[in-house]
Amino acid sequence: MHHSPSFAPRRVPLRRRFIHVFAAVFATALAFFSPAAALAFDEVFDSGHVDAFYVTAPDGQLHLSMKEDITGSSVPRSGDDVVLKVVEDAWSDATEAVPEIGQPTYFLPQTQDQRIIWPGWDTQPARDGGFDNVDLEFAEVSGPGSVYVFETSGFGDVKTVTDSGSMELTSGEVINQPNPAHRHVNWAFSEAGTYTMTVQAHSNGESSNAVTYTWEVGDGGDASAADRSADTGEVSNDQEATSTPRSADKGGAAAADKSGAATDKECTPGMTPQIKDDTVSPSQWRDADGATFYLSDKSSVDLPQEVGPVPAGQAWMIGSTQVDGVPWLGANTQSPTMRENIPGDVTWELAGFKGPGPMMVYSQGGLGKIVGDEWFRGNADAAEGTYSIAPNTHVHPNWVFGAQGTYDVTIRQVAKTGEGKQVAGEATLHFVVGGDKPAEAFDNGHFDLGAAVNPEGGDCRDGAAADGASASAGGSSTSTGTSTGQAAQAPSKGGSLANTGTPIVPFGIGALGLGMLFLGLGIARLAVAKAAD
Protein backbone atom coordinates (compact mmCIF):
# COMPACT_ATOMS: atom_id res chain seq x y z
CA MET A 1 0.00 0.00 0.00
CA HIS A 2 1.31 3.27 -1.05
CA HIS A 3 1.49 5.98 1.63
CA SER A 4 1.50 9.70 0.92
CA PRO A 5 4.61 11.52 2.04
CA SER A 6 4.42 12.99 5.53
CA PHE A 7 4.52 16.76 5.85
CA ALA A 8 4.88 16.77 9.62
CA PRO A 9 7.56 19.25 10.71
CA ARG A 10 10.92 17.92 11.64
CA ARG A 11 11.38 17.79 15.38
CA VAL A 12 13.91 20.26 16.67
CA PRO A 13 16.28 18.96 19.35
CA LEU A 14 15.11 19.90 22.86
CA ARG A 15 18.19 21.94 23.73
CA ARG A 16 17.98 23.97 20.53
CA ARG A 17 14.25 24.58 21.03
CA PHE A 18 14.86 25.88 24.55
CA ILE A 19 17.58 28.18 23.28
CA HIS A 20 15.30 29.59 20.56
CA VAL A 21 12.43 30.27 22.98
CA PHE A 22 14.75 31.79 25.59
CA ALA A 23 16.39 34.03 22.98
CA ALA A 24 13.01 35.34 21.82
CA VAL A 25 11.90 36.10 25.39
CA PHE A 26 15.22 37.73 26.23
CA ALA A 27 15.14 39.88 23.10
CA THR A 28 11.64 41.07 23.98
CA ALA A 29 12.67 41.93 27.51
CA LEU A 30 15.81 43.67 26.31
CA ALA A 31 13.82 45.80 23.90
CA PHE A 32 11.35 46.58 26.67
CA PHE A 33 14.09 47.81 28.98
CA SER A 34 16.04 49.78 26.40
CA PRO A 35 16.09 53.55 27.09
CA ALA A 36 14.64 54.33 23.67
CA ALA A 37 11.67 52.07 24.27
CA ALA A 38 11.16 53.15 27.88
CA LEU A 39 11.50 56.87 27.39
CA ALA A 40 12.52 58.83 24.32
CA PHE A 41 13.67 61.86 26.32
CA ASP A 42 16.91 62.69 28.08
CA GLU A 43 15.31 64.37 31.09
CA VAL A 44 12.03 64.64 32.99
CA PHE A 45 11.72 67.86 35.00
CA ASP A 46 8.92 68.06 37.57
CA SER A 47 10.15 71.03 39.63
CA GLY A 48 12.51 73.96 39.32
CA HIS A 49 13.13 76.83 36.93
CA VAL A 50 13.01 76.33 33.17
CA ASP A 51 13.06 78.93 30.41
CA ALA A 52 11.18 76.68 28.03
CA PHE A 53 11.38 79.13 25.14
CA TYR A 54 14.96 80.38 25.04
CA VAL A 55 15.58 82.65 22.06
CA THR A 56 19.19 83.34 21.09
CA ALA A 57 21.05 84.58 18.02
CA PRO A 58 24.27 82.63 17.51
CA ASP A 59 26.11 83.94 14.44
CA GLY A 60 23.27 86.42 13.95
CA GLN A 61 20.71 83.66 13.25
CA LEU A 62 17.50 83.41 15.27
CA HIS A 63 17.50 80.19 17.32
CA LEU A 64 14.96 78.59 19.69
CA SER A 65 15.89 76.12 22.42
CA MET A 66 15.53 75.67 26.20
CA LYS A 67 17.54 76.73 29.24
CA GLU A 68 17.18 75.26 32.73
CA ASP A 69 18.51 75.80 36.25
CA ILE A 70 17.73 72.30 37.52
CA THR A 71 20.76 70.22 36.63
CA GLY A 72 23.09 73.23 36.81
CA SER A 73 23.06 76.95 36.19
CA SER A 74 21.71 78.15 32.82
CA VAL A 75 22.10 74.72 31.22
CA PRO A 76 21.15 74.78 27.51
CA ARG A 77 18.84 72.11 26.08
CA SER A 78 17.47 71.53 22.62
CA GLY A 79 13.95 71.59 24.09
CA ASP A 80 12.61 68.51 22.33
CA ASP A 81 14.73 66.24 24.53
CA VAL A 82 12.93 67.10 27.78
CA VAL A 83 9.57 66.25 29.33
CA LEU A 84 8.03 69.03 31.41
CA LYS A 85 6.16 67.12 34.09
CA VAL A 86 3.19 68.85 35.74
CA VAL A 87 2.71 66.86 38.93
CA GLU A 88 -0.62 65.99 40.49
CA ASP A 89 0.05 68.50 43.29
CA ALA A 90 -0.44 71.29 40.73
CA TRP A 91 -4.21 70.57 40.67
CA SER A 92 -5.86 73.74 42.01
CA ASP A 93 -9.23 75.45 42.24
CA ALA A 94 -7.59 78.90 41.97
CA THR A 95 -8.51 79.16 38.28
CA GLU A 96 -12.22 78.84 39.02
CA ALA A 97 -12.09 82.60 39.68
CA VAL A 98 -10.76 83.34 36.19
CA PRO A 99 -13.87 83.95 34.04
CA GLU A 100 -12.53 82.43 30.82
CA ILE A 101 -11.46 79.28 32.66
CA GLY A 102 -14.03 78.87 35.43
CA GLN A 103 -12.86 75.45 36.59
CA PRO A 104 -10.07 73.78 38.56
CA THR A 105 -6.97 73.02 36.52
CA TYR A 106 -3.41 71.86 36.80
CA PHE A 107 -2.09 75.32 37.58
CA LEU A 108 1.49 76.62 37.28
CA PRO A 109 1.57 80.16 38.73
CA GLN A 110 3.90 82.84 37.43
CA THR A 111 5.57 83.02 40.85
CA GLN A 112 7.72 80.04 41.75
CA ASP A 113 6.37 77.16 43.81
CA GLN A 114 9.28 74.88 44.72
CA ARG A 115 7.11 71.75 44.44
CA ILE A 116 6.27 72.18 40.77
CA ILE A 117 7.83 73.14 37.46
CA TRP A 118 8.27 76.89 36.82
CA PRO A 119 8.34 77.46 33.04
CA GLY A 120 9.00 80.82 31.43
CA TRP A 121 10.83 82.28 28.46
CA ASP A 122 13.89 84.41 27.83
CA THR A 123 14.51 86.50 24.71
CA GLN A 124 17.36 88.60 26.11
CA PRO A 125 20.21 86.83 24.26
CA ALA A 126 18.49 87.50 20.91
CA ARG A 127 19.32 91.19 21.20
CA ASP A 128 22.94 90.31 20.38
CA GLY A 129 21.73 89.56 16.86
CA GLY A 130 19.61 92.70 16.67
CA PHE A 131 16.33 90.91 17.53
CA ASP A 132 14.41 92.94 20.10
CA ASN A 133 10.76 92.34 19.27
CA VAL A 134 10.13 88.58 19.18
CA ASP A 135 6.97 86.63 18.33
CA LEU A 136 6.55 83.12 19.76
CA GLU A 137 4.26 81.25 17.37
CA PHE A 138 2.57 78.13 18.72
CA ALA A 139 2.15 76.49 15.34
CA GLU A 140 0.54 73.36 16.75
CA VAL A 141 -0.88 72.68 20.21
CA SER A 142 -2.37 69.29 21.00
CA GLY A 143 -3.48 67.44 24.10
CA PRO A 144 -6.44 65.86 25.91
CA GLY A 145 -7.73 69.20 27.21
CA SER A 146 -7.39 72.95 27.03
CA VAL A 147 -4.21 74.92 27.74
CA TYR A 148 -4.55 78.39 29.20
CA VAL A 149 -1.87 81.06 29.48
CA PHE A 150 -2.29 84.45 31.15
CA GLU A 151 -0.53 87.00 33.32
CA THR A 152 -1.19 88.37 36.79
CA SER A 153 -0.55 92.10 37.21
CA GLY A 154 1.08 93.74 40.21
CA PHE A 155 -2.34 94.41 41.72
CA GLY A 156 -3.85 90.95 41.32
CA ASP A 157 -5.67 91.48 38.01
CA VAL A 158 -5.37 88.90 35.25
CA LYS A 159 -4.77 89.71 31.62
CA THR A 160 -4.21 87.83 28.41
CA VAL A 161 -0.84 87.51 26.71
CA THR A 162 -1.80 86.09 23.29
CA ASP A 163 -2.15 88.33 20.26
CA SER A 164 -5.75 87.20 19.80
CA GLY A 165 -6.68 88.16 23.35
CA SER A 166 -7.70 84.62 24.25
CA MET A 167 -6.50 82.90 27.38
CA GLU A 168 -6.75 79.53 25.70
CA LEU A 169 -3.60 78.60 23.82
CA THR A 170 -4.55 76.91 20.56
CA SER A 171 -2.76 76.11 17.33
CA GLY A 172 -1.67 79.24 15.49
CA GLU A 173 -1.65 81.54 18.55
CA VAL A 174 1.18 84.03 18.92
CA ILE A 175 2.67 85.56 22.05
CA ASN A 176 4.60 88.76 21.40
CA GLN A 177 7.59 89.72 23.54
CA PRO A 178 8.10 93.35 22.51
CA ASN A 179 11.43 93.90 24.24
CA PRO A 180 14.26 91.62 25.38
CA ALA A 181 13.03 90.07 28.62
CA HIS A 182 12.96 87.12 30.95
CA ARG A 183 9.30 86.47 31.67
CA HIS A 184 7.00 84.13 33.56
CA VAL A 185 3.25 83.79 33.17
CA ASN A 186 0.51 81.51 34.49
CA TRP A 187 -0.11 78.15 32.81
CA ALA A 188 -3.17 75.98 33.31
CA PHE A 189 -4.12 72.56 31.88
CA SER A 190 -7.72 71.37 32.13
CA GLU A 191 -7.06 67.62 31.91
CA ALA A 192 -4.35 65.11 32.71
CA GLY A 193 -2.39 63.59 29.84
CA THR A 194 0.29 64.39 27.29
CA TYR A 195 0.38 67.77 25.54
CA THR A 196 2.72 68.90 22.79
CA MET A 197 3.49 72.39 21.53
CA THR A 198 5.43 73.06 18.33
CA VAL A 199 6.87 76.55 18.67
CA GLN A 200 8.84 78.84 16.38
CA ALA A 201 10.31 82.30 17.06
CA HIS A 202 10.00 85.16 14.55
CA SER A 203 11.68 88.57 14.49
CA ASN A 204 12.77 91.11 11.87
CA GLY A 205 11.27 88.96 9.13
CA GLU A 206 13.37 85.93 10.13
CA SER A 207 12.27 82.65 11.68
CA SER A 208 13.99 80.25 14.03
CA ASN A 209 14.04 76.49 13.99
CA ALA A 210 10.85 74.79 15.20
CA VAL A 211 10.93 72.94 18.53
CA THR A 212 8.27 70.53 19.81
CA TYR A 213 7.87 70.69 23.59
CA THR A 214 6.25 67.85 25.53
CA TRP A 215 4.26 68.32 28.73
CA GLU A 216 3.14 65.36 30.84
CA VAL A 217 0.29 66.54 33.04
CA GLY A 218 -0.99 64.77 36.15
CA ASP A 219 -0.90 61.13 37.09
CA GLY A 220 -3.99 60.09 35.17
CA GLY A 221 -7.33 61.38 33.98
CA ASP A 222 -9.75 59.24 36.04
CA ALA A 223 -9.75 61.15 39.31
CA SER A 224 -12.58 63.58 39.93
CA ALA A 225 -11.99 67.13 41.06
CA ALA A 226 -13.08 66.14 44.57
CA ASP A 227 -10.65 63.25 44.58
CA ARG A 228 -7.84 65.49 43.40
CA SER A 229 -8.62 68.07 46.07
CA ALA A 230 -8.57 65.40 48.75
CA ASP A 231 -5.39 63.83 47.44
CA THR A 232 -3.47 67.08 47.14
CA GLY A 233 -4.69 68.73 50.32
CA GLU A 234 -6.41 71.58 48.44
CA VAL A 235 -6.71 74.64 50.63
CA SER A 236 -8.15 78.10 50.48
CA ASN A 237 -6.46 81.06 48.87
CA ASP A 238 -5.52 82.33 52.32
CA GLN A 239 -2.58 79.94 52.47
CA GLU A 240 0.78 80.13 50.72
CA ALA A 241 2.71 77.34 49.08
CA THR A 242 5.44 79.09 47.21
CA SER A 243 7.98 80.07 49.83
CA THR A 244 9.24 79.89 53.38
CA PRO A 245 8.50 83.30 54.88
CA ARG A 246 9.52 84.40 58.34
CA SER A 247 7.59 86.70 60.64
CA ALA A 248 8.52 90.33 60.17
CA ASP A 249 9.78 91.01 63.65
CA LYS A 250 12.06 94.01 64.04
CA GLY A 251 15.68 92.94 64.22
CA GLY A 252 14.74 89.71 62.49
CA ALA A 253 17.75 87.45 62.39
CA ALA A 254 19.88 89.40 64.85
CA ALA A 255 18.90 88.25 68.28
CA ALA A 256 20.32 85.09 69.89
CA ASP A 257 22.68 82.16 69.31
CA LYS A 258 26.33 83.19 69.08
CA SER A 259 27.54 79.86 67.71
CA GLY A 260 27.85 81.10 64.13
CA ALA A 261 29.01 84.65 64.73
CA ALA A 262 32.54 85.98 64.62
CA THR A 263 33.65 89.11 66.49
CA ASP A 264 37.24 89.21 65.29
CA LYS A 265 37.93 92.51 63.55
CA GLU A 266 39.84 90.56 60.92
CA CYS A 267 36.85 88.35 60.16
CA THR A 268 36.35 87.40 56.54
CA PRO A 269 32.67 87.44 55.48
CA GLY A 270 31.39 84.10 54.28
CA MET A 271 29.13 85.81 51.78
CA THR A 272 29.84 88.62 49.35
CA PRO A 273 26.56 90.03 47.97
CA GLN A 274 26.59 90.38 44.20
CA ILE A 275 24.29 91.61 41.45
CA LYS A 276 23.73 89.30 38.50
CA ASP A 277 23.52 91.60 35.47
CA ASP A 278 21.58 90.12 32.55
CA THR A 279 21.79 93.26 30.43
CA VAL A 280 25.05 91.91 29.03
CA SER A 281 25.70 88.58 27.36
CA PRO A 282 26.93 86.43 28.94
CA SER A 283 25.58 87.57 32.30
CA GLN A 284 28.03 89.07 34.78
CA TRP A 285 28.11 89.04 38.58
CA ARG A 286 29.00 92.49 39.95
CA ASP A 287 29.67 93.83 43.44
CA ALA A 288 26.33 94.62 45.08
CA ASP A 289 27.45 97.03 47.77
CA GLY A 290 26.75 100.55 46.52
CA ALA A 291 24.83 99.41 43.43
CA THR A 292 22.30 102.05 42.35
CA PHE A 293 18.92 101.46 40.68
CA TYR A 294 17.13 104.37 39.03
CA LEU A 295 13.33 104.44 38.88
CA SER A 296 12.08 106.85 36.23
CA ASP A 297 8.49 107.94 35.63
CA LYS A 298 7.96 104.60 33.90
CA SER A 299 7.89 103.01 37.35
CA SER A 300 5.02 105.24 38.54
CA VAL A 301 1.85 103.36 39.53
CA ASP A 302 -1.47 104.15 41.17
CA LEU A 303 -1.88 101.86 44.17
CA PRO A 304 -5.55 100.88 44.51
CA GLN A 305 -5.08 100.30 48.24
CA GLU A 306 -2.43 100.75 50.88
CA VAL A 307 0.37 98.19 50.74
CA GLY A 308 1.97 97.87 54.14
CA PRO A 309 3.26 101.34 55.12
CA VAL A 310 2.82 102.71 51.58
CA PRO A 311 -0.55 104.49 51.25
CA ALA A 312 -2.92 104.19 48.31
CA GLY A 313 -2.30 106.55 45.44
CA GLN A 314 0.83 107.37 43.51
CA ALA A 315 3.85 105.19 44.19
CA TRP A 316 6.90 103.96 42.32
CA MET A 317 7.35 100.27 41.77
CA ILE A 318 9.66 97.51 40.58
CA GLY A 319 7.06 94.84 39.94
CA SER A 320 7.14 91.07 39.89
CA THR A 321 6.93 91.20 36.09
CA GLN A 322 9.38 93.04 33.86
CA VAL A 323 8.50 96.52 32.62
CA ASP A 324 10.50 98.14 29.84
CA GLY A 325 12.35 101.17 31.17
CA VAL A 326 12.38 99.95 34.79
CA PRO A 327 15.23 97.93 36.38
CA TRP A 328 13.82 94.51 37.25
CA LEU A 329 15.49 93.44 40.49
CA GLY A 330 15.00 89.90 41.73
CA ALA A 331 16.50 87.50 44.27
CA ASN A 332 18.83 84.69 43.34
CA THR A 333 20.36 81.73 45.21
CA GLN A 334 21.89 80.23 42.07
CA SER A 335 25.45 81.57 41.96
CA PRO A 336 27.97 78.76 41.37
CA THR A 337 29.57 79.04 44.81
CA MET A 338 26.19 79.19 46.52
CA ARG A 339 24.99 76.08 44.74
CA GLU A 340 28.20 74.35 45.73
CA ASN A 341 28.30 75.33 49.41
CA ILE A 342 24.78 76.16 50.64
CA PRO A 343 22.37 73.17 50.72
CA GLY A 344 19.58 74.99 52.58
CA ASP A 345 17.70 78.28 52.65
CA VAL A 346 19.30 81.71 52.52
CA THR A 347 17.68 84.16 54.93
CA TRP A 348 17.49 87.81 53.90
CA GLU A 349 17.16 90.46 56.58
CA LEU A 350 16.44 94.14 56.09
CA ALA A 351 19.36 95.32 58.22
CA GLY A 352 19.10 99.02 57.46
CA PHE A 353 16.78 101.52 55.80
CA LYS A 354 16.81 105.23 55.15
CA GLY A 355 14.62 107.13 52.72
CA PRO A 356 12.23 110.02 52.06
CA GLY A 357 9.18 107.81 52.38
CA PRO A 358 8.01 104.28 53.16
CA MET A 359 9.05 101.10 51.33
CA MET A 360 7.38 97.71 51.06
CA VAL A 361 8.84 94.54 49.52
CA TYR A 362 6.53 91.56 49.05
CA SER A 363 5.78 88.51 46.94
CA GLN A 364 2.96 88.71 44.42
CA GLY A 365 -0.32 87.44 45.82
CA GLY A 366 -2.46 84.74 44.26
CA LEU A 367 -5.14 85.34 41.66
CA GLY A 368 -7.12 88.42 42.65
CA LYS A 369 -4.77 89.39 45.48
CA ILE A 370 -2.08 92.06 45.71
CA VAL A 371 0.16 90.99 48.59
CA GLY A 372 1.40 87.47 49.10
CA ASP A 373 4.29 87.14 51.56
CA GLU A 374 5.75 90.25 53.12
CA TRP A 375 9.53 90.42 52.84
CA PHE A 376 10.50 93.82 54.28
CA ARG A 377 9.10 97.18 55.23
CA GLY A 378 10.90 100.43 55.93
CA ASN A 379 9.40 103.57 57.35
CA ALA A 380 10.69 106.60 59.27
CA ASP A 381 14.23 105.25 59.13
CA ALA A 382 13.13 101.95 60.69
CA ALA A 383 13.83 98.57 59.07
CA GLU A 384 12.09 95.28 59.72
CA GLY A 385 11.49 91.95 58.09
CA THR A 386 13.22 88.71 57.23
CA TYR A 387 12.51 86.27 54.43
CA SER A 388 14.00 82.88 53.60
CA ILE A 389 14.70 81.81 50.03
CA ALA A 390 15.06 78.18 49.06
CA PRO A 391 18.25 76.91 47.41
CA ASN A 392 18.59 77.15 43.63
CA THR A 393 15.82 79.72 43.43
CA HIS A 394 15.23 82.77 41.27
CA VAL A 395 12.29 84.93 42.34
CA HIS A 396 11.05 88.48 41.75
CA PRO A 397 9.28 90.34 44.56
CA ASN A 398 7.58 93.72 44.26
CA TRP A 399 9.50 96.76 45.53
CA VAL A 400 7.19 99.72 46.25
CA PHE A 401 8.34 103.20 47.27
CA GLY A 402 6.00 105.88 48.59
CA ALA A 403 7.89 109.07 47.69
CA GLN A 404 10.54 110.35 45.35
CA GLY A 405 14.12 110.63 46.51
CA THR A 406 17.01 108.34 47.39
CA TYR A 407 16.58 105.21 49.52
CA ASP A 408 19.48 103.35 51.16
CA VAL A 409 18.49 99.72 51.69
CA THR A 410 20.86 97.35 53.50
CA ILE A 411 20.15 93.66 53.03
CA ARG A 412 21.95 90.98 55.01
CA GLN A 413 22.11 87.39 53.77
CA VAL A 414 22.65 84.49 56.18
CA ALA A 415 22.98 80.77 55.50
CA LYS A 416 24.71 77.59 56.66
CA THR A 417 27.25 75.64 54.69
CA GLY A 418 27.03 71.90 54.19
CA GLU A 419 29.30 71.54 57.22
CA GLY A 420 26.87 73.52 59.37
CA LYS A 421 28.96 76.70 59.56
CA GLN A 422 27.04 79.97 59.54
CA VAL A 423 28.13 82.47 56.90
CA ALA A 424 26.76 85.91 56.16
CA GLY A 425 27.33 89.15 54.30
CA GLU A 426 25.49 92.39 53.66
CA ALA A 427 25.34 95.15 51.09
CA THR A 428 23.64 98.52 50.82
CA LEU A 429 21.68 99.15 47.63
CA HIS A 430 20.59 102.61 46.56
CA PHE A 431 17.23 103.27 44.89
CA VAL A 432 16.91 106.70 43.26
CA VAL A 433 13.24 107.43 42.61
CA GLY A 434 12.56 110.28 40.21
CA GLY A 435 14.83 113.19 39.40
CA ASP A 436 17.90 112.82 37.25
CA LYS A 437 19.52 109.48 36.59
CA PRO A 438 22.82 109.08 38.46
CA ALA A 439 25.83 108.02 36.44
CA GLU A 440 26.38 104.25 36.36
CA ALA A 441 22.89 103.56 37.72
CA PHE A 442 20.96 100.53 36.50
CA ASP A 443 17.78 101.86 34.87
CA ASN A 444 16.45 99.03 32.68
CA GLY A 445 16.73 95.29 32.21
CA HIS A 446 17.00 92.22 34.40
CA PHE A 447 19.08 92.01 37.60
CA ASP A 448 19.22 89.67 40.59
CA LEU A 449 20.67 90.14 44.04
CA GLY A 450 22.56 87.07 45.18
CA ALA A 451 25.92 86.29 46.75
CA ALA A 452 29.23 84.55 46.27
CA VAL A 453 30.08 82.16 49.10
CA ASN A 454 33.46 81.68 50.76
CA PRO A 455 33.10 78.61 53.01
CA GLU A 456 36.28 79.62 54.86
CA GLY A 457 34.65 82.88 55.95
CA GLY A 458 32.03 83.38 58.61
CA ASP A 459 29.40 85.68 60.02
CA CYS A 460 31.19 88.94 60.78
CA ARG A 461 28.33 90.86 62.32
CA ASP A 462 29.25 92.27 65.72
CA GLY A 463 27.60 90.29 68.46
CA ALA A 464 25.48 87.26 67.80
CA ALA A 465 23.71 85.72 64.88
CA ALA A 466 20.04 85.12 65.45
CA ASP A 467 18.38 81.89 66.40
CA GLY A 468 15.95 82.75 63.64
CA ALA A 469 18.71 83.14 61.08
CA SER A 470 20.38 79.97 62.24
CA ALA A 471 17.18 77.96 62.03
CA SER A 472 16.03 79.41 58.75
CA ALA A 473 19.44 78.96 57.19
CA GLY A 474 19.03 75.30 57.90
CA GLY A 475 15.74 75.30 56.04
CA SER A 476 13.60 73.79 58.79
CA SER A 477 11.04 76.50 59.53
CA THR A 478 7.81 77.08 57.67
CA SER A 479 4.82 79.40 57.88
CA THR A 480 1.91 80.50 55.77
CA GLY A 481 0.88 83.62 53.92
CA THR A 482 -1.29 84.25 50.86
CA SER A 483 -2.01 81.50 48.41
CA THR A 484 -1.70 80.97 44.72
CA GLY A 485 -4.22 78.20 45.10
CA GLN A 486 -1.73 75.40 45.66
CA ALA A 487 -1.59 73.02 48.58
CA ALA A 488 -0.15 74.73 51.65
CA GLN A 489 3.29 73.24 51.94
CA ALA A 490 6.61 74.98 52.33
CA PRO A 491 9.46 73.78 50.15
CA SER A 492 10.79 70.57 51.63
CA LYS A 493 14.40 69.58 51.32
CA GLY A 494 13.41 65.97 51.84
CA GLY A 495 10.67 65.91 49.22
CA SER A 496 10.81 64.47 45.75
CA LEU A 497 13.29 66.08 43.44
CA ALA A 498 13.15 66.58 39.71
CA ASN A 499 14.22 63.61 37.65
CA THR A 500 17.48 64.93 36.29
CA GLY A 501 19.33 61.77 35.33
CA THR A 502 19.31 59.37 32.43
CA PRO A 503 16.02 57.79 31.34
CA ILE A 504 14.56 55.66 34.11
CA VAL A 505 11.92 52.95 33.75
CA PRO A 506 9.23 53.60 36.37
CA PHE A 507 9.14 50.93 39.07
CA GLY A 508 5.74 49.59 38.12
CA ILE A 509 6.73 49.21 34.47
CA GLY A 510 10.02 47.65 35.48
CA ALA A 511 8.27 45.13 37.68
CA LEU A 512 5.89 44.31 34.85
CA GLY A 513 8.85 43.77 32.54
CA LEU A 514 10.51 41.40 34.99
CA GLY A 515 7.24 39.57 35.35
CA MET A 516 7.03 39.18 31.58
CA LEU A 517 10.59 37.86 31.49
CA PHE A 518 9.98 35.19 34.13
CA LEU A 519 6.62 34.31 32.59
CA GLY A 520 8.35 33.82 29.26
CA LEU A 521 10.98 31.63 30.84
CA GLY A 522 8.25 29.56 32.50
CA ILE A 523 6.46 29.13 29.18
CA ALA A 524 9.70 28.12 27.56
CA ARG A 525 10.34 25.54 30.24
CA LEU A 526 6.84 24.12 29.88
CA ALA A 527 7.28 23.97 26.12
CA VAL A 528 10.48 22.01 26.50
CA ALA A 529 8.91 19.69 29.06
CA LYS A 530 5.95 19.07 26.79
CA ALA A 531 8.22 18.38 23.86
CA ALA A 532 10.13 15.91 26.00
CA ASP A 533 6.89 14.09 26.72
Side-chain angles (χ1 to χ4, degrees):
M1 182 176 182
H2 177 72
H3 295 279
S4 300
S6 175
F7 292 96
R10 182 170 59 89
R11 294 180 64 87
V12 178
L14 295 180
R15 180 176 297 177
R16 184 179 299 174
R17 178 174 297 181
F18 178 84
I19 291 173
H20 288 171
V21 174
F22 179 82
V25 173
F26 183 77
T28 301
L30 185 63
F32 182 85
F33 280 103
S34 69
L39 186 64
F41 300 94
D42 292 342
E43 306 283 359
V44 177
F45 295 143
D46 60 12
S47 63
H49 176 228
V50 174
D51 286 323
F53 316 124
Y54 183 51
V55 187
T56 59
D59 300 323
Q61 302 297 310
L62 204 61
H63 184 73
L64 179 64
S65 60
M66 176 185 287
K67 180 183 67 174
E68 48 95 355
D69 290 316
I70 299 172
T71 64
S73 181
S74 299
V75 178
R77 300 277 178 191
S78 66
D80 53 9
D81 60 341
V82 169
V83 171
L84 299 175
K85 172 66 176 176
V86 182
V87 297
E88 194 68 30
D89 275 356
W91 183 256
S92 170
D93 62 4
T95 49
E96 288 183 340
V98 180
E100 192 169 325
I101 302 176
Q103 62 178 326
T105 59
Y106 291 91
F107 179 51
L108 305 178
Q110 71 185 45
T111 54
Q112 187 171 12
D113 180 335
Q114 294 293 330
R115 300 171 301 119
I116 57 181
I117 196 74
W118 191 36
W121 62 78
D122 188 356
T123 65
Q124 293 176 119
R127 65 173 168 244
D128 294 341
F131 303 105
D132 293 331
N133 189 322
V134 176
D135 283 333
L136 296 173
E137 179 193 7
F138 293 76
E140 185 175 353
V141 178
S142 65
S146 296
V147 182
Y148 300 96
V149 58
F150 59 98
E151 195 167 44
T152 308
S153 74
F155 305 130
D157 298 329
V158 298
K159 59 182 181 180
T160 62
V161 297
T162 62
D163 280 6
S164 71
S166 172
M167 286 190 182
E168 186 172 0
L169 189 66
T170 56
S171 297
E173 285 285 6
V174 172
I175 296 177
N176 174 248
Q177 183 56 54
N179 54 281
H182 173 215
R183 188 175 175 187
H184 285 269
V185 295
N186 301 285
W187 296 86
F189 300 82
S190 65
E191 301 292 340
T194 301
Y195 296 76
T196 61
M197 300 176 185
T198 300
V199 184
Q200 197 169 17
H202 307 283
S203 182
N204 296 352
E206 298 187 23
S207 298
S208 75
N209 55 302
V211 179
T212 297
Y213 299 86
T214 300
W215 306 68
E216 189 65 38
V217 177
D219 295 336
D222 295 332
S224 67
D227 292 337
R228 290 192 183 100
S229 295
D231 291 343
T232 60
E234 193 71 57
V235 294
S236 73
N237 284 351
D238 293 328
Q239 293 177 299
E240 175 63 26
T242 62
S243 56
T244 316
R246 304 293 180 258
S247 59
D249 54 314
K250 192 171 182 179
D257 182 15
K258 298 184 180 181
S259 61
T263 58
D264 189 340
K265 294 181 180 179
E266 301 300 323
C267 173
T268 300
M271 282 190 176
T272 302
Q274 294 182 327
I275 297 292
K276 182 173 181 279
D277 180 359
D278 281 333
T279 65
V280 294
S281 183
S283 301
Q284 294 184 15
W285 288 90
R286 308 183 187 278
D287 187 14
D289 195 40
T292 300
F293 297 87
Y294 173 63
L295 278 66
S296 68
D297 290 344
K298 292 184 177 180
S299 68
S300 179
V301 295
D302 185 16
L303 290 183
Q305 65 181 59
E306 68 176 20
V307 178
V310 182
Q314 186 178 22
W316 292 262
M317 180 176 183
I318 297 175
S320 61
T321 56
Q322 189 168 357
V323 174
D324 190 30
V326 179
W328 195 35
L329 179 61
N332 190 309
T333 58
Q334 296 175 323
S335 73
T337 53
M338 187 168 288
R339 290 172 62 100
E340 179 181 354
N341 294 289
I342 306 299
D345 291 0
V346 178
T347 296
W348 284 24
E349 174 196 352
L350 184 61
F353 174 82
K354 184 176 182 179
M359 179 192 77
M360 176 76 165
V361 182
Y362 61 94
S363 295
Q364 182 66 46
L367 298 179
K369 295 182 179 290
I370 293 179
V371 178
D373 294 322
E374 179 177 328
W375 289 34
F376 316 125
R377 62 172 64 199
N379 195 16
D381 296 338
E384 57 182 339
T386 61
Y387 188 83
S388 288
I389 303 171
N392 194 27
T393 292
H394 170 213
V395 61
H396 280 266
N398 298 277
W399 307 71
V400 180
F401 302 90
Q404 291 191 331
T406 298
Y407 296 77
D408 301 325
V409 179
T410 302
I411 297 174
R412 181 171 184 261
Q413 301 181 50
V414 186
K416 281 191 175 182
T417 66
E419 289 70 38
K421 181 180 182 180
Q422 183 161 301
V423 292
E426 66 179 44
T428 297
L429 309 180
H430 306 293
F431 296 86
V432 177
V433 180
D436 295 330
K437 174 191 170 184
E440 306 301 325
F442 299 125
D443 65 343
N444 193 21
H446 181 212
F447 308 89
D448 289 325
L449 175 61
V453 176
N454 174 12
E456 304 303 318
D459 181 350
C460 298
R461 168 178 270 188
D462 290 340
D467 279 339
S470 239
S472 59
S476 59
S477 300
T478 62
S479 67
T480 58
T482 302
S483 176
T484 57
Q486 309 295 329
Q489 302 178 27
S492 172
K493 307 306 174 293
S496 62
L497 299 177
N499 175 4
T500 60
T502 55
I504 298 174
V505 180
F507 175 78
I509 298 177
L512 175 62
L514 287 174
M516 291 174 60
L517 176 61
F518 287 116
L519 176 61
L521 291 175
I523 293 172
R525 185 174 180 181
L526 288 174
V528 171
K530 185 175 181 180
D533 294 339

